[in-house]
Amino acid sequence: MRAPILLVLAVFFVFFVPGCAADRHLKRGHAALAAGDAPSAQHHFERALHHREKLADDGVFLEELRVATRDAEITRGRVAMAKRQWSAAAAHFDLALEQEPGFVLAAEQRAVAGRNAAPGLYDAAVQRADLNDLPAARRFLDEALHMDPQHAPARAARRSLDAPFPDNANEQRAAALADEGRWSEAVALLAGVVRDEPDRLPARAALHATHGRAADDLVRQGRAALEVGDPDLAERRFRAATDFRPGDHRVRVGLRDADVLRGDRHLAEGLPGAAFLAYRRAAAVRADDTAIQSALKGAADELRRRFAGAVNVVAHATADTPHHGTHADVLARHVLRELPDATGGWVYADAQADAAQTTTLTLDTLEVVRRAPVISEERHAYTVEYAVPNPRLPGLRAELHRIQVCIADLADDEHRAIGRLRWARQRGDDHACSTLERRLRRIRRDLHDARVQRARLSEAIRCEPAEIIKTRTEHWPYVLETHTQTGTIAGTWRRGDGPAEPFDGTFTQSDATIPDPAPAVGLHPDPLVLDDEDAVHDTLLGRAATELAQRIAEAERPDHARALQDQADRVRDTDETQSRELEIAAVLAANAEGLSTQGVAVLDALTTEVFPALSASED
């Protein structure tokens, strides 16, 4: 029965369903064509042909499909024109003309789209020629002439591609100059040809190629100059290459390498300031170059070593105790040790230098006061464990007793059922025997389940603890002693004969202890930890020294920078190189914590002065 049904279904889907689909699409296609929706009509007619291939022999249907296709392509072309997609619009109108070659509306729209598409294609061809890609330029020109055969610039450019090159005196002269390495003259001649004949694409391509050859040749010459140790010639060659190919990464790298070579040379000549400027300009090309950053830091360190200022720090105490004098000496040593870091290395300690500025420290107070302990009563929380009877055991035992009673009842029922079954068999009562056998099986099944449940409960009772442990939180009262000590330092400092300025500082330390610990409840001994008096003195002296070093640096660094600048001004007429070194050192000394905007401007001006712009004409 099943096979005939499947056969009927197969015949229905093979022969009747496609025919129904074809009729449905034909009906929808006619409706869309009548409504002026040509794209939908084309779609439905094509689907109908897909479902019913015999429609390919129907002349009326083919005419309807042709008209729908023609009108659909015209509609798509108009949409593309509205979006200013001229090439796509022309392609749609070409498809419409394939359906009806003499259709006036499609031909007129095709002409409009072609005239609008041709200029863009011509411009694309010129751009490809400017990039020395003549095959691509040829393809764009062919497409432009396909769109508009009368487009005059495209026709002229297309003829130039078929003409020999070079074919005039300027082009030949430019080629000869390029072979001689006279790049500027060759580029000027080719640029004149392009200016006079903008449609001559081979000249445009040759101009781009000459630019590339010139840049490559000049970069090669710059690299050769670096190899022989001539950074000035290398810079001239690299900068000349930028005239032909702006933004060339090789030029940036070459200029960086020239500055590094120049910096190494200046450093070897004993001019760390000029070397610093060269390394700084090289670092501007690639700030993450660790070698350049290391060289830049080395030049700055050499400047600091050569032009750092000297200062001396002395200290005394106003108190009569000998310890205060010792502490004053310790304070002076701490300040001298921290002063170079505070000034960025531009000021160092030298009591023997003639020009050393003396800073006098006066220690008035250095004491440690320990206050009386503060007594407070606290409460310590601790946990106490206690046992209670297990509340689950009574319920488990009651359940076990109930199951024991149930087992006894089932055993009695089993005994009675066996006796009745034996009596029924003796009487030959088959119906009673069958009923009693079913009842006996049910009783034995229930009896088995009860015994299993009894075993499980017995095991659970055996594993269950008789008591369970609970916890509660209690509080233990105790006494807490808090000890506090405070150190104080105070004094004055004075630079040379200037006014005295105060300095001071405090250091407070606290700790607590438990006089009567109780380890049994978790209250363990807590010994008192406080620094001794000497340790507090060291802390106070160290903090005061750091503060004083910073304040002295804030006063010494600008004075030292001004002194360097004054010295640079004095020797400017007699030793310009030394004056420039001093001026660079003065800028770095004044901006030890980081270059300010003014400092950057001064260094940039000095860089321009030391390394003026080099051009190829200086050869």
Side-chain angles (χ1 to χ4, degrees):
M1 182 64 185
R2 187 175 180 183
I5 293 176
L6 294 176
L7 179 61
V8 171
L9 290 175
V11 171
F12 175 76
F13 281 106
V14 170
F15 292 100
F16 292 98
V17 171
C20 294
D23 292 339
R24 184 170 61 254
H25 282 294
L26 281 173
K27 183 178 180 180
R28 293 176 180 174
H30 290 143
L33 195 60
D37 188 358
S40 297
Q42 179 191 9
H43 167 74
H44 289 297
F45 286 149
E46 289 177 348
R47 295 301 299 168
L49 182 61
H50 172 75
H51 289 295
R52 186 180 296 169
E53 296 179 356
K54 291 182 178 180
L55 288 175
D57 300 329
D58 188 340
V60 175
F61 169 77
L62 292 178
E63 178 64 16
E64 292 174 340
L65 176 60
R66 184 188 66 78
V67 171
T69 303
R70 179 200 66 189
D71 294 346
E73 295 299 338
I74 291 175
T75 301
R76 297 186 184 103
R78 288 174 173 172
V79 172
M81 289 179 67
K83 298 179 180 179
R84 305 185 68 83
Q85 298 174 355
W86 306 111
S87 297
H92 287 300
F93 292 131
D94 285 339
L95 292 175
L97 289 172
E98 288 180 4
Q99 300 298 322
E100 188 172 339
F103 195 59
V104 177
L105 178 60
E108 292 176 350
Q109 296 292 326
R110 168 62 175 80
V112 173
R115 285 194 298 271
N116 284 281
L121 293 169
Y122 168 75
D123 292 341
V126 171
Q127 292 174 3
R128 294 302 186 277
D130 287 340
L131 296 176
N132 196 22
D133 189 358
L134 291 181
R138 185 186 300 271
R139 290 194 298 272
F140 279 110
L141 287 176
D142 291 341
E143 182 66 19
L145 292 175
H146 172 70
M147 292 293 168
D148 185 7
Q150 303 304 320
H151 191 268
R155 295 175 65 182
R158 187 64 179 80
R159 285 195 301 270
S160 71
L161 291 178
D162 297 331
F165 181 86
D167 67 342
N168 59 50
N170 286 336
E171 293 173 348
Q172 294 171 358
R173 176 62 177 160
L177 290 172
D179 292 338
E180 296 174 7
R182 298 164 63 179
W183 303 112
S184 298
E185 300 175 50
V187 167
L189 283 175
L190 287 174
V193 172
V194 172
R195 184 174 57 254
D196 297 337
E197 301 180 60
D199 299 332
R200 186 160 178 74
L201 300 192
R204 288 179 175 273
L207 179 60
H208 181 275
T210 304
H211 275 282
R213 291 175 58 194
D216 294 341
D217 183 51
L218 290 169
V219 168
R220 181 187 58 78
Q221 294 181 34
R223 280 291 164 193
L226 288 177
E227 291 179 0
V228 299
D230 191 345
D232 293 338
L233 177 60
E235 181 172 350
R236 286 195 293 271
R237 292 294 182 264
F238 288 129
R239 293 195 182 281
T242 60
D243 296 336
F244 300 101
R245 186 175 289 171
D248 194 327
H249 176 68
R250 298 174 301 169
V251 172
R252 290 172 55 82
V253 174
L255 291 174
R256 180 199 66 189
D257 294 343
D259 283 329
V260 171
L261 179 60
R262 189 179 285 117
D264 295 342
R265 176 172 298 179
H266 286 312
L267 201 60
E269 293 172 352
L271 300 175
F276 178 84
L277 296 181
Y279 291 139
R280 178 173 174 267
R281 195 166 67 162
V285 177
R286 186 175 179 183
D288 60 346
D289 192 315
T290 56
I292 296 177
Q293 293 295 336
S294 177
L296 184 65
K297 182 179 180 300
D301 291 341
E302 179 62 21
L303 275 172
R304 280 192 292 269
R305 187 190 65 79
R306 183 173 300 184
F307 297 110
V311 69
N312 186 29
V313 177
V314 297
H316 64 275
T318 57
D320 295 333
T321 60
H323 295 294
H324 275 66
T326 303
H327 292 148
D329 294 338
V330 172
L331 179 62
R333 289 197 298 271
H334 282 340
V335 172
L336 289 172
R337 185 174 63 248
E338 297 192 16
L339 192 58
D341 291 337
T343 61
W346 286 100
V347 176
Y348 65 95
D350 187 359
Q352 305 300 324
D354 295 336
Q357 172 74 44
T358 300
T359 298
T360 304
L361 308 179
T362 301
L363 181 61
D364 297 330
T365 302
L366 181 63
E367 60 181 1
V368 179
V369 177
R370 176 171 293 188
R371 293 198 295 267
V374 177
I375 308 299
S376 60
E377 294 184 357
E378 306 291 340
R379 288 161 58 90
H380 171 68
Y382 64 99
T383 302
V384 176
E385 295 182 349
Y386 60 96
V388 297
N390 192 338
R392 298 185 66 239
L393 283 177
L396 292 175
R397 290 182 177 130
E399 181 67 16
L400 180 62
H401 176 71
R402 186 188 64 79
I403 292 176
Q404 291 281 21
V405 173
C406 181
I407 290 175
D409 294 341
L410 289 173
D412 292 341
D413 292 343
E414 180 186 23
H415 180 71
R416 286 192 295 270
I418 291 173
R420 291 175 182 175
L421 179 61
R422 186 181 299 113
W423 177 252
R425 286 175 179 173
Q426 291 177 358
R427 293 199 319 266
D429 190 348
D430 295 336
H431 177 71
C433 288
S434 177
T435 302
L436 289 171
E437 287 175 354
R438 288 196 301 272
R439 182 181 178 186
L440 184 60
R441 285 195 299 271
R442 184 174 65 253
I443 292 172
R444 287 175 175 173
R445 183 175 62 249
D446 295 342
L447 184 61
H448 175 268
D449 294 342
R451 287 169 176 167
V452 170
Q453 185 66 16
R454 181 183 61 183
R456 291 176 180 173
L457 277 173
S458 299
E459 181 64 20
I461 292 172
R462 186 183 66 83
C463 297
E464 196 73 20
E467 295 179 340
I468 60 174
I469 305 301
K470 289 190 174 184
T471 61
R472 66 173 178 268
T473 301
E474 296 185 356
H475 295 83
W476 183 272
Y478 68 98
V479 174
L480 182 68
E481 291 184 1
T482 302
H483 296 257
T484 302
Q485 64 181 8
T486 302
T488 304
I489 187 172
T492 59
W493 68 283
R494 182 176 69 250
R495 294 179 64 239
D497 298 330
E501 298 182 24
F503 71 89
D504 55 30
T506 59
F507 174 65
T508 301
Q509 193 177 33
S510 298
D511 196 20
T513 185
I514 302 173
D516 299 318
V521 297
L523 196 63
H524 299 286
D526 186 9
L528 188 65
V529 179
L530 288 175
D531 294 340
D532 57 18
E533 186 172 313
D534 290 339
V536 176
H537 287 165
D538 290 341
T539 301
L540 287 168
L541 291 171
R543 292 184 179 183
T546 301
E547 178 187 354
L548 285 170
Q550 187 64 36
R551 294 169 68 177
I552 294 172
E554 292 174 357
E556 289 288 345
R557 193 170 57 235
D559 286 354
H560 182 59
R562 284 191 292 270
L564 290 173
Q565 185 62 51
D566 293 341
Q567 187 178 354
D569 295 338
R570 287 195 300 270
V571 302
R572 190 180 306 279
D573 296 335
T574 58
D575 191 345
E576 185 178 356
T577 300
Q578 181 66 11
S579 173
R580 192 163 46 236
E581 292 288 310
L582 287 166
E583 190 170 358
I584 296 170
V587 173
L588 294 182
N591 297 270
E593 296 180 353
L595 286 175
S596 63
T597 303
Q598 182 180 0
V600 171
V602 173
L603 288 180
D604 290 342
L606 288 172
T607 302
T608 304
E609 180 183 344
V610 177
F611 311 120
L614 302 176
S615 63
S617 61
E618 297 179 11
D619 294 341

